[in-house]
Structure formats: structure tokens, C-alpha cells
């Protein structure tokens, strides 16, 4: 599968993650809506992170001629989502909350911001 196809699949999952994640930060926690949208958010985050692992880095240095520094956010997501889920299932709301906030700001806001640097598709699309 080409990087372009993977990029569109990634955008199709990460854009809803941005919207749902933002909503989850704002709404009352622990409600049925929060729980249901939280599950959708977690699944979409795992899917979007997995998709990015197949996308070859096109900007900056690479490891194994494939992974760039931005892939570290994908690995972080694949680790954080299950551990945040386990935390909430164990009733550890504090750990769950911390992980989910860090996931949103790290994997969506910071990593998303880096997609707008020169040489990346989002930069060429918007600038």
C-alpha cells in the first residue's frame, strides 16, 4: 500500500480522534456518553497509530530506512491506550485521566502540529 493511501486512511481515523478527543476533554466524565465515545476514541487511536507504522518517513533521518522520529508517537499510543484502559477498569481514575490527557496532547496536538512542518503533506496542503 502506498504512503498516499496510508495517509488518507490515517487522516480518516485521526480527524475523528481529534474531534472526539476534544469533546471528551470538555464533557462530564464517567457518563454513558463519555464511556461510549471513549471506547470509540481508543479504538480509533490504536487503528491510526498502527496505520502510521506502515507509513515510511519522508522527512528527516530514519531508522531501518523506514521509521522517523514522529513514529515514536505511534509507539507511545500503542502503549498508552491499553494501559489507560486497564487503569480505568481497575478503578484508577487518576492514572487513566493522566494517560488520556497526555495521549491527546502528545499524539494529536504535538504530533499533529509536526505534520505541518515544511516537507510534509499537510504543510503543502495548507501553505
Amino acid at each position: 500500500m502506498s504512503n498516499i493511501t496510508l495517509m488518507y486512511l490515517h487522516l480518516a481515523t485521526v480527524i475523528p480522534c481529534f474531534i472526539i478527543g476534544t469533546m471528551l476533554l470538555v464533557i462530564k466524565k464517567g457518563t454513558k456518553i463519555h464511556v461510549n465515545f471513549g471506547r470509540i476514541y481508543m479504538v480509533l487511536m490504536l487503528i491510526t497509530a498502527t496505520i502510521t507504522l506502515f507509513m515510511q518517513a519522508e522527512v528527516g533521518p530514519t531508522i531501518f530506512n523506514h521509521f522517523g522520529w514522529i513514529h515514536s508517537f505511534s509507539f507511545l499510543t500503542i502503549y498508552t491506550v491499553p494501559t489507560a484502559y486497564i487503569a480505568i477498569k481497575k478503578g484508577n481514575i487518576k492514572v487513566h485521566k493522566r494517560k488520556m490527557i497526555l495521549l491527546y496532547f502528545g499524539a494529536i496536538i504535538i504530533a499533529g502540529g509536526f505534520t505541518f512542518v515544511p516537507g510534509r503533506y499537510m504543510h503543502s496542503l495548507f501553505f
Side-chain angles (χ1 to χ4, degrees), residues 14-53:
V14 79
I15 291 170
C17 283
F18 172 72
I19 295 165
I20 294 169
T22 303
M23 180 193 77
L24 289 170
L25 286 173
V26 174
I27 67 171
K28 183 174 167 67
K29 309 305 181 260
T31 64
K32 188 99 170 142
I33 291 172
H34 177 85
V35 171
N36 289 334
F37 274 102
R39 288 179 179 147
I40 294 167
Y41 175 75
M42 287 180 146
V43 169
L44 284 173
M45 285 298 288
L46 286 173
I47 292 169
T48 202
T50 303
I51 289 168
T52 61
L53 292 179

Short mmCIF file of all heavy atoms in Angstrom, two decimals, residues 14-53:
data_model
loop_
_atom_site.label_atom_id
_atom_site.label_comp_id
_atom_site.label_asym_id
_atom_site.label_seq_id
_atom_site.Cartn_x
_atom_site.Cartn_y
_atom_site.Cartn_z
N VAL A 14 -7.67 9.80 12.25
CA VAL A 14 -7.15 10.77 13.21
C VAL A 14 -8.03 12.02 13.30
O VAL A 14 -8.12 12.62 14.38
CB VAL A 14 -5.67 11.13 12.91
CG1 VAL A 14 -5.52 12.13 11.78
CG2 VAL A 14 -4.98 11.62 14.18
N ILE A 15 -8.69 12.40 12.24
CA ILE A 15 -9.59 13.57 12.32
C ILE A 15 -10.74 13.30 13.29
O ILE A 15 -11.02 14.13 14.16
CB ILE A 15 -10.05 14.03 10.93
CG1 ILE A 15 -8.86 14.63 10.17
CG2 ILE A 15 -11.20 15.04 11.02
CD1 ILE A 15 -9.10 14.92 8.71
N PRO A 16 -11.42 12.13 13.19
CA PRO A 16 -12.43 11.84 14.22
C PRO A 16 -11.82 11.77 15.63
O PRO A 16 -12.47 12.16 16.60
CB PRO A 16 -13.00 10.49 13.81
CG PRO A 16 -12.71 10.36 12.36
CD PRO A 16 -11.44 11.13 12.13
N CYS A 17 -10.58 11.30 15.74
CA CYS A 17 -9.92 11.26 17.06
C CYS A 17 -9.77 12.66 17.62
O CYS A 17 -9.98 12.87 18.82
CB CYS A 17 -8.54 10.61 16.95
SG CYS A 17 -8.59 8.82 16.82
N PHE A 18 -9.41 13.61 16.78
CA PHE A 18 -9.26 14.99 17.23
C PHE A 18 -10.61 15.52 17.74
O PHE A 18 -10.70 16.12 18.81
CB PHE A 18 -8.72 15.88 16.11
CG PHE A 18 -8.73 17.34 16.46
CD1 PHE A 18 -7.83 17.85 17.38
CD2 PHE A 18 -9.65 18.19 15.89
CE1 PHE A 18 -7.84 19.20 17.72
CE2 PHE A 18 -9.68 19.53 16.22
CZ PHE A 18 -8.77 20.04 17.13
N ILE A 19 -11.66 15.28 16.97
CA ILE A 19 -12.99 15.77 17.33
C ILE A 19 -13.49 15.09 18.60
O ILE A 19 -13.93 15.75 19.55
CB ILE A 19 -13.97 15.57 16.16
CG1 ILE A 19 -13.55 16.44 14.96
CG2 ILE A 19 -15.41 15.88 16.59
CD1 ILE A 19 -14.21 16.07 13.65
N ILE A 20 -13.43 13.77 18.63
CA ILE A 20 -13.92 13.02 19.80
C ILE A 20 -13.07 13.32 21.03
O ILE A 20 -13.60 13.52 22.12
CB ILE A 20 -13.95 11.50 19.49
CG1 ILE A 20 -14.99 11.20 18.42
CG2 ILE A 20 -14.24 10.70 20.76
CD1 ILE A 20 -14.91 9.78 17.87
N GLY A 21 -11.75 13.35 20.85
CA GLY A 21 -10.86 13.64 21.97
C GLY A 21 -11.13 15.00 22.58
O GLY A 21 -11.14 15.16 23.80
N THR A 22 -11.35 16.00 21.74
CA THR A 22 -11.67 17.34 22.22
C THR A 22 -12.98 17.32 23.00
O THR A 22 -13.08 17.89 24.09
CB THR A 22 -11.76 18.33 21.04
OG1 THR A 22 -10.52 18.30 20.32
CG2 THR A 22 -12.05 19.74 21.53
N MET A 23 -13.97 16.63 22.45
CA MET A 23 -15.27 16.51 23.12
C MET A 23 -15.10 15.83 24.48
O MET A 23 -15.67 16.27 25.48
CB MET A 23 -16.24 15.72 22.25
CG MET A 23 -17.61 15.56 22.86
SD MET A 23 -18.60 14.34 22.00
CE MET A 23 -17.87 12.84 22.65
N LEU A 24 -14.31 14.76 24.53
CA LEU A 24 -14.12 14.02 25.77
C LEU A 24 -13.45 14.86 26.85
O LEU A 24 -13.70 14.68 28.04
CB LEU A 24 -13.31 12.74 25.52
CG LEU A 24 -14.06 11.65 24.75
CD1 LEU A 24 -13.10 10.55 24.34
CD2 LEU A 24 -15.21 11.10 25.56
N LEU A 25 -12.58 15.77 26.45
CA LEU A 25 -11.94 16.66 27.42
C LEU A 25 -12.94 17.65 28.04
O LEU A 25 -12.77 18.07 29.17
CB LEU A 25 -10.81 17.45 26.77
CG LEU A 25 -9.53 16.68 26.46
CD1 LEU A 25 -8.57 17.56 25.67
CD2 LEU A 25 -8.87 16.17 27.73
N VAL A 26 -13.98 17.98 27.28
CA VAL A 26 -14.92 19.02 27.69
C VAL A 26 -16.11 18.47 28.48
O VAL A 26 -16.55 19.09 29.44
CB VAL A 26 -15.41 19.81 26.45
CG1 VAL A 26 -16.49 20.80 26.80
CG2 VAL A 26 -14.24 20.50 25.77
N ILE A 27 -16.63 17.31 28.07
CA ILE A 27 -17.87 16.81 28.69
C ILE A 27 -17.62 16.22 30.08
O ILE A 27 -16.48 15.96 30.46
CB ILE A 27 -18.57 15.76 27.80
CG1 ILE A 27 -17.75 14.48 27.67
CG2 ILE A 27 -18.92 16.35 26.44
CD1 ILE A 27 -18.47 13.33 26.99
N LYS A 28 -18.71 16.01 30.79
CA LYS A 28 -18.65 15.41 32.13
C LYS A 28 -18.10 13.99 32.04
O LYS A 28 -18.50 13.21 31.19
CB LYS A 28 -20.04 15.41 32.74
CG LYS A 28 -20.09 14.89 34.16
CD LYS A 28 -21.50 15.06 34.72
CE LYS A 28 -21.73 14.30 35.97
NZ LYS A 28 -21.04 14.66 37.13
N LYS A 29 -17.18 13.67 32.93
CA LYS A 29 -16.52 12.36 32.92
C LYS A 29 -17.39 11.31 33.60
O LYS A 29 -18.15 11.61 34.52
CB LYS A 29 -15.16 12.43 33.63
CG LYS A 29 -14.26 13.57 33.17
CD LYS A 29 -14.02 13.55 31.67
CE LYS A 29 -13.11 14.67 31.24
NZ LYS A 29 -13.78 15.81 30.68
N GLY A 30 -17.26 10.07 33.14
CA GLY A 30 -17.96 8.95 33.75
C GLY A 30 -19.37 8.71 33.25
O GLY A 30 -19.99 7.73 33.62
N THR A 31 -19.87 9.61 32.40
CA THR A 31 -21.22 9.44 31.85
C THR A 31 -21.21 8.36 30.77
O THR A 31 -20.16 7.96 30.27
CB THR A 31 -21.74 10.76 31.25
OG1 THR A 31 -20.89 11.11 30.14
CG2 THR A 31 -21.76 11.88 32.27
N LYS A 32 -22.39 7.91 30.42
CA LYS A 32 -22.53 6.89 29.36
C LYS A 32 -21.94 7.42 28.04
O LYS A 32 -21.26 6.68 27.33
CB LYS A 32 -24.01 6.54 29.18
CG LYS A 32 -24.27 5.40 28.28
CD LYS A 32 -24.49 4.16 29.08
CE LYS A 32 -25.00 3.06 28.17
NZ LYS A 32 -24.45 1.77 28.53
N ILE A 33 -22.17 8.68 27.75
CA ILE A 33 -21.62 9.28 26.52
C ILE A 33 -20.10 9.26 26.57
O ILE A 33 -19.43 8.92 25.60
CB ILE A 33 -22.15 10.71 26.33
CG1 ILE A 33 -23.65 10.67 25.99
CG2 ILE A 33 -21.39 11.46 25.25
CD1 ILE A 33 -24.31 12.03 25.97
N HIS A 34 -19.53 9.65 27.72
CA HIS A 34 -18.08 9.66 27.87
C HIS A 34 -17.50 8.26 27.68
O HIS A 34 -16.51 8.08 26.96
CB HIS A 34 -17.69 10.21 29.25
CG HIS A 34 -16.22 10.18 29.52
ND1 HIS A 34 -15.38 11.18 29.11
CD2 HIS A 34 -15.43 9.26 30.12
CE1 HIS A 34 -14.15 10.89 29.46
NE2 HIS A 34 -14.14 9.72 30.07
N VAL A 35 -18.11 7.28 28.30
CA VAL A 35 -17.62 5.90 28.21
C VAL A 35 -17.70 5.40 26.78
O VAL A 35 -16.73 4.83 26.24
CB VAL A 35 -18.41 4.98 29.17
CG1 VAL A 35 -18.07 3.52 28.93
CG2 VAL A 35 -18.14 5.37 30.62
N ASN A 36 -18.84 5.60 26.12
CA ASN A 36 -19.02 5.08 24.76
C ASN A 36 -18.11 5.78 23.76
O ASN A 36 -17.46 5.12 22.94
CB ASN A 36 -20.48 5.19 24.33
CG ASN A 36 -21.37 4.21 25.07
OD1 ASN A 36 -20.92 3.16 25.52
ND2 ASN A 36 -22.64 4.55 25.21
N PHE A 37 -18.05 7.10 23.82
CA PHE A 37 -17.15 7.81 22.91
C PHE A 37 -15.69 7.55 23.25
O PHE A 37 -14.83 7.54 22.37
CB PHE A 37 -17.44 9.32 22.88
CG PHE A 37 -18.51 9.69 21.91
CD1 PHE A 37 -19.80 9.97 22.33
CD2 PHE A 37 -18.24 9.76 20.55
CE1 PHE A 37 -20.79 10.30 21.44
CE2 PHE A 37 -19.22 10.09 19.63
CZ PHE A 37 -20.51 10.37 20.08
N GLY A 38 -15.39 7.32 24.53
CA GLY A 38 -14.04 6.98 24.94
C GLY A 38 -13.58 5.67 24.33
O GLY A 38 -12.43 5.54 23.90
N ARG A 39 -14.47 4.70 24.27
CA ARG A 39 -14.13 3.42 23.63
C ARG A 39 -13.86 3.60 22.14
O ARG A 39 -12.90 3.05 21.60
CB ARG A 39 -15.25 2.40 23.84
CG ARG A 39 -15.32 1.90 25.25
CD ARG A 39 -16.47 0.93 25.44
NE ARG A 39 -16.48 0.45 26.81
CZ ARG A 39 -17.57 0.14 27.48
NH1 ARG A 39 -18.74 0.24 26.90
NH2 ARG A 39 -17.47 -0.28 28.73
N ILE A 40 -14.72 4.38 21.49
CA ILE A 40 -14.52 4.65 20.05
C ILE A 40 -13.18 5.36 19.85
O ILE A 40 -12.41 5.02 18.95
CB ILE A 40 -15.69 5.50 19.50
CG1 ILE A 40 -16.99 4.69 19.53
CG2 ILE A 40 -15.38 6.01 18.10
CD1 ILE A 40 -18.24 5.52 19.30
N TYR A 41 -12.91 6.34 20.69
CA TYR A 41 -11.66 7.10 20.62
C TYR A 41 -10.45 6.18 20.77
O TYR A 41 -9.49 6.26 19.98
CB TYR A 41 -11.67 8.17 21.71
CG TYR A 41 -10.40 8.97 21.85
CD1 TYR A 41 -10.08 9.95 20.92
CD2 TYR A 41 -9.52 8.76 22.92
CE1 TYR A 41 -8.93 10.71 21.06
CE2 TYR A 41 -8.37 9.50 23.05
CZ TYR A 41 -8.08 10.47 22.12
OH TYR A 41 -6.94 11.21 22.25
N MET A 42 -10.48 5.29 21.75
CA MET A 42 -9.35 4.39 21.98
C MET A 42 -9.13 3.46 20.78
O MET A 42 -7.98 3.27 20.36
CB MET A 42 -9.57 3.57 23.25
CG MET A 42 -9.41 4.36 24.52
SD MET A 42 -9.68 3.31 25.96
CE MET A 42 -8.52 4.03 27.10
N VAL A 43 -10.20 2.91 20.23
CA VAL A 43 -10.06 2.03 19.07
C VAL A 43 -9.51 2.80 17.88
O VAL A 43 -8.59 2.33 17.20
CB VAL A 43 -11.41 1.35 18.74
CG1 VAL A 43 -11.36 0.65 17.38
CG2 VAL A 43 -11.81 0.37 19.83
N LEU A 44 -10.05 3.98 17.63
CA LEU A 44 -9.56 4.79 16.51
C LEU A 44 -8.10 5.18 16.70
O LEU A 44 -7.32 5.21 15.74
CB LEU A 44 -10.42 6.05 16.33
CG LEU A 44 -11.78 5.85 15.68
CD1 LEU A 44 -12.58 7.15 15.73
CD2 LEU A 44 -11.64 5.36 14.24
N MET A 45 -7.70 5.50 17.93
CA MET A 45 -6.30 5.85 18.18
C MET A 45 -5.38 4.67 17.91
O MET A 45 -4.31 4.83 17.33
CB MET A 45 -6.12 6.35 19.63
CG MET A 45 -6.64 7.75 19.87
SD MET A 45 -5.82 9.02 18.89
CE MET A 45 -4.23 9.09 19.68
N LEU A 46 -5.80 3.47 18.30
CA LEU A 46 -4.98 2.28 18.02
C LEU A 46 -4.89 2.03 16.52
O LEU A 46 -3.82 1.69 15.99
CB LEU A 46 -5.54 1.06 18.73
CG LEU A 46 -5.31 1.01 20.23
CD1 LEU A 46 -6.05 -0.17 20.85
CD2 LEU A 46 -3.82 0.94 20.55
N ILE A 47 -6.00 2.19 15.81
CA ILE A 47 -6.00 2.00 14.36
C ILE A 47 -5.11 3.03 13.69
O ILE A 47 -4.27 2.68 12.85
CB ILE A 47 -7.44 2.06 13.79
CG1 ILE A 47 -8.25 0.85 14.26
CG2 ILE A 47 -7.41 2.13 12.26
CD1 ILE A 47 -9.74 0.94 13.98
N THR A 48 -5.26 4.29 14.06
CA THR A 48 -4.47 5.33 13.41
C THR A 48 -2.98 5.17 13.70
O THR A 48 -2.14 5.38 12.83
CB THR A 48 -4.99 6.75 13.76
OG1 THR A 48 -4.56 7.66 12.76
CG2 THR A 48 -4.57 7.23 15.12
N ALA A 49 -2.63 4.76 14.92
CA ALA A 49 -1.21 4.55 15.26
C ALA A 49 -0.65 3.36 14.48
O ALA A 49 0.49 3.41 14.01
CB ALA A 49 -1.06 4.32 16.76
N THR A 50 -1.44 2.32 14.33
CA THR A 50 -0.99 1.14 13.57
C THR A 50 -0.77 1.50 12.10
O THR A 50 0.22 1.09 11.51
CB THR A 50 -2.00 -0.01 13.71
OG1 THR A 50 -2.16 -0.30 15.11
CG2 THR A 50 -1.54 -1.24 12.98
N ILE A 51 -1.69 2.27 11.55
CA ILE A 51 -1.54 2.69 10.15
C ILE A 51 -0.23 3.44 9.95
O ILE A 51 0.50 3.20 8.99
CB ILE A 51 -2.74 3.56 9.72
CG1 ILE A 51 -4.00 2.71 9.59
CG2 ILE A 51 -2.45 4.29 8.40
CD1 ILE A 51 -5.29 3.50 9.44
N THR A 52 0.09 4.34 10.87
CA THR A 52 1.30 5.15 10.70
C THR A 52 2.58 4.32 10.74
O THR A 52 3.58 4.72 10.15
CB THR A 52 1.39 6.27 11.75
OG1 THR A 52 1.46 5.69 13.05
CG2 THR A 52 0.21 7.22 11.66
N LEU A 53 2.54 3.19 11.40
CA LEU A 53 3.74 2.34 11.44
C LEU A 53 4.09 1.80 10.06
O LEU A 53 5.25 1.46 9.80
CB LEU A 53 3.55 1.19 12.43
CG LEU A 53 3.48 1.59 13.89
CD1 LEU A 53 3.25 0.36 14.76
CD2 LEU A 53 4.71 2.35 14.33
#
